[in-house]
Amino acid sequence: MKKTVRISFEGKTYDVEVEVLDSAVAAAPAAPVAAAPAAAPAAAGAGTEVKCPLAGSVFKLKVKVGDTVAANQEVAVIEALKMENPVVAPCAGKVTSVLVKETDTVTDGQVLMTIA
């Protein structure tokens, strides 16, 4: 499966197409599994999920619950292989839940937050 990932390096942003291999997903699921249930009740309402584009760790969260975001606004930064990868909002709306915290280990496709 191929995915497009946006990366930032030395102040420049690049859109890079990568191939995701099943054997390449080697992240420790213990941290995200432990973090997600605590915030799960807040995610009970309807909303658009913001999913992690690749495995890594949450370097920076740029929004919190209650913040209003625009479509394609950067909402988080994932660090993977010493590179900072921005995560953007798929739609405009209000952040209704944040399911991770900074330094959490995350996997490809994991829900980071919801926007309604």
Side-chain angles (χ1 to χ4, degrees), residues 44-93:
T48 301
E49 297 177 335
V50 179
K51 295 185 178 182
C52 187
L54 71 167
S57 65
V58 179
F59 179 72
K60 181 137 183 90
L61 289 172
K62 297 196 167 198
V63 295
K64 60 187 180 306
V65 173
D67 286 354
T68 301
V69 297
N72 297 317
Q73 176 181 333
E74 190 172 298
V75 294
V77 179
I78 303 299
E79 182 179 32
L81 301 173
K82 297 186 180 182
M83 291 177 23
E84 295 176 13
N85 304 280
V87 178
V88 297
C91 63

Side-chain angles (χ1 to χ4, degrees), residues 98-111:
V98 177
L99 305 174
V100 295
K101 63 184 184 320
E102 291 181 1
T103 72
D104 278 357
T105 300
V106 291
T107 58
D108 180 28
Q110 179 178 340
V111 178

